Amino acid sequence: MLPQEIIRRKREGQKLSADEIKEFVTGVTNKSVTESQVAAFCMAVLFKKMVMDERVALTSAMAKSGMVMDWSKENLSGPVLDKHSTGGIGDKVSLMLAPIVAACGGFVPMLSGRGLGHTGGTLDKMDSIPGYQSQPDIALFKKVVRETGCAIIGTTPDLAPADKIVYAVRDVTATVESLDLITASSLSKKLAAGLQGLVMDVKFGSGAFMRRYNDAKALAESIVSVANGAGLPTVGLLTDMNQVLGRSAGNALEVMEAIEYMKDCNIDDKLHEVTIALTAELLVLGGIAKDIAEARQKIETVLKNGKAAECFARMVTALGGPADLMDKPEKYLKPAPFIKDFYPAQKDMVSALDLRAIGVGIIEMGGGRARPSDVIDLSVGLANVAQIGEEVGQGARPLATIHAKDEADFLNMSRVLINATRVAGEVNASGKLVRARISE
Ligand code: URA
């Protein structure tokens, strides 16, 4: 069938057959379907939605658009595990989780994505490490996972190539916020990686694609059910994305924060809460720990004894990055040319943040893409960001330290921050960031 006929049928709200979906995805992969057709298809799905059968067919077709990894011949001494996030601002959990799991005896072949919509992407973060090969061939990918316990890379022409194409189009066509497309995109990568266990971090709040809790819960249920149905044991945690996770948002800045975390210095409580919760679920899913309490114990041990940091360092070196990154991160993570604290004029308490606006502000500073081919500025972003409930202004703490290319961008970002920050009034962050657990 012609791609435009498949798009028309979806535009009219009809149910697509598994064969039609497979044909469309094959066309995406072999490029007989154009980028504009991909964009139109995504917009039609976003508006008209898919039923469960279609969602399963889309996920499966995208997962099988390249090869599906098989770890059974690698003689690994532990389970093959991974986590995925539906996307947020300052979400650098993957950078710590992968080496922590590796240090505890698991193996993490992590296929991650670039920035999407207003959110940041793990792959862009890793690209801020000079020399790091984020798209190695399969042989190197396998070798690094086997020898260091983890490898964080991007989708490649071999692995989930359809997601790579659709993802890049969604990023710049306002077609991200679809339960169906997020389910298929997130899971296609994870199914292609040949995992034995997955934990999904499904975010809700002002910085998430699903702002409302109930929409995020529906997304978590969709992902958990499609993944388990495809034979991948999966647990979902619903986590709050109403404030930057940790203290930084921006590619190189987040790598710096992750390195400090792994070196067991400067650990932000909220970042720690989410990291530990997701990692512990994974250790239990993989049979590395018998329950969450034991898993937490193991995690604290490998953070304190430096084993997690060691695994990260070994992964970076094995993929071409600098051997002394952990000792001298400031030598490699390029600072932005214009760095300045931003204090609002009046001293007051942060009561809410529009994180989506802040994410868009970072993209406008050059930290994300307006077109798929854009080269991004990995050094820009925010550090030292205030959390809800903290007092900001002269005499208190800054709202954030802005890392920009020049003063004009600093001033623009200051305006974004002022408009995105509500001060005074009731604080709407209700303590714990991890709100619910979804399993089948
Ligand atoms: N992460 C993905 O990989 N895809 C999405 O659509 C959202 C988050």
Side-chain angles (χ1 to χ4, degrees):
M1 190 183 276
L2 288 172
Q4 54 268 46
E5 281 304 293
I6 297 177
I7 297 166
R8 183 187 57 76
R9 277 175 34 72
K10 187 41 45 193
R11 190 199 66 201
E12 288 176 358
Q14 296 178 36
K15 181 182 169 193
L16 299 177
S17 71
D19 282 345
E20 284 170 323
I21 291 173
K22 195 166 156 216
E23 196 181 324
F24 192 84
V25 172
T26 305
V28 172
T29 313
N30 67 24
K31 307 249 173 59
S32 59
V33 168
T34 65
E35 276 191 6
S36 53
Q37 288 171 324
V38 173
F41 177 80
C42 290
M43 195 58 92
V45 171
L46 186 129
F47 278 117
K48 296 297 167 144
K49 305 188 174 21
M50 287 183 146
V51 296
M52 192 54 150
D53 286 353
E54 292 174 286
R55 209 181 295 156
V56 169
L58 184 63
T59 306
S60 155
M62 284 175 48
K64 291 179 190 150
S65 61
M67 69 178 279
V68 174
M69 297 198 76
D70 174 10
W71 295 95
S72 63
K73 296 195 185 70
E74 302 297 318
N75 289 325
L76 300 179
S77 56
V80 182
L81 306 167
D82 198 3
K83 88 103 205 185
H84 196 67
S85 158
T86 56
I89 314 282
D91 182 0
K92 70 267 309 164
V93 170
S94 290
L95 275 61
M96 290 98 72
L97 175 141
I100 294 174
V101 172
C104 291
F107 291 84
V108 188
M110 188 179 278
L111 288 185
S112 55
R114 299 202 177 280
L116 185 64
H118 61 277
T119 69
T122 300
L123 194 54
D124 291 329
K125 293 169 204 178
M126 296 312 287
D127 277 343
S128 56
I129 303 173
Y132 187 86
Q133 250 181 286
S134 59
Q135 311 227 344
D137 60 25
I138 297 283
L140 179 58
F141 182 40
K142 277 194 166 171
K143 179 172 183 285
V144 176
V145 171
R146 204 172 46 234
E147 291 176 0
T148 74
C150 57
I152 305 175
I153 68 157
T155 48
T156 68
D158 309 298
L159 295 166
D163 180 59
K164 189 181 164 85
I165 296 164
V166 176
Y167 193 95
V169 170
R170 287 168 64 216
D171 180 31
V172 293
T173 55
T175 51
V176 176
E177 293 92 341
S178 147
L179 181 148
D180 307 299
L181 297 177
I182 298 176
T183 301
S185 164
S186 303
L187 288 181
S188 59
K189 290 187 273 289
K190 303 297 147 174
L191 292 170
L195 306 177
Q196 292 165 311
L198 172 69
V199 63
M200 275 299 307
D201 181 2
V202 182
K203 304 220 170 271
F204 63 91
S206 68
F209 293 127
M210 303 296 170
R211 295 170 83 98
R212 290 185 311 200
Y213 178 83
N214 283 342
D215 292 340
K217 185 158 172 282
L219 175 60
E221 285 163 357
S222 160
I223 292 175
V224 168
S225 140
V226 173
N228 283 308
L232 173 56
T234 299
V235 167
L237 295 185
L238 278 152
T239 71
D240 187 309
M241 189 22 79
N242 281 299
Q243 53 189 332
V244 169
L245 189 54
R247 293 290 180 175
S248 60
N251 295 297
L253 291 166
E254 291 188 48
V255 175
M256 182 66 93
E257 185 172 9
I259 289 176
E260 286 175 359
Y261 180 105
M262 285 180 276
K263 284 163 74 176
D264 201 21
C265 51
N266 202 11
I267 294 186
D268 176 74
D269 286 350
K270 293 196 167 11
L271 177 59
H272 194 50
E273 181 199 338
V274 176
T275 306
I276 296 272
L278 290 162
T279 314
E281 287 289 348
L282 213 43
L283 295 189
V284 175
L285 260 179
I288 294 174
K290 66 175 185 310
D291 55 25
I292 295 290
E294 188 186 57
R296 285 176 173 263
Q297 196 65 51
K298 283 181 186 276
I299 296 164
E300 295 294 353
T301 305
V302 298
L303 282 172
K304 292 267 176 295
N305 67 14
K307 287 249 157 51
E310 214 175 289
C311 284
F312 186 81
R314 288 177 60 218
M315 169 189 78
V316 167
T317 317
L319 282 166
D324 56 349
L325 177 72
M326 301 302 274
D327 298 328
K328 299 185 188 125
E330 57 296 328
K331 178 171 161 199
Y332 298 105
L333 300 170
K334 207 173 119 249
F338 194 94
I339 302 174
K340 195 170 164 188
D341 287 340
F342 172 64
Y343 290 89
Q346 282 191 338
K347 193 159 100 175
D348 226 324
M349 189 188 65
V350 178
S351 58
L353 290 159
D354 178 356
L355 273 197
R356 187 178 191 288
I358 293 175
V360 171
I362 294 173
I363 296 174
E364 283 169 353
M365 283 206 294
R369 297 173 182 80
R371 280 173 298 272
S373 56
D374 282 354
V375 175
I376 63 176
D377 184 342
L378 297 161
S379 67
V380 299
L382 305 176
N384 194 20
V385 186
Q387 291 176 348
I388 293 174
E390 288 181 334
E391 199 163 62
V392 293
Q394 291 298 342
R397 71 175 329 282
L399 196 39
T401 306
I402 300 175
H403 292 235
K405 121 174 149 297
D406 53 27
E407 188 168 15
D409 277 8
F410 167 82
L411 292 172
N412 262 336
M413 192 67 208
S414 310
R415 277 189 287 273
V416 168
L417 284 174
I418 280 295
N419 291 334
T421 307
R422 189 145 53 84
V423 289
E426 224 166 272
V427 170
N428 75 357
S430 72
K432 292 260 168 263
L433 295 194
V434 180
R435 282 308 162 74
R437 178 179 189 276
I438 310 282
S439 64
E440 236 184 10

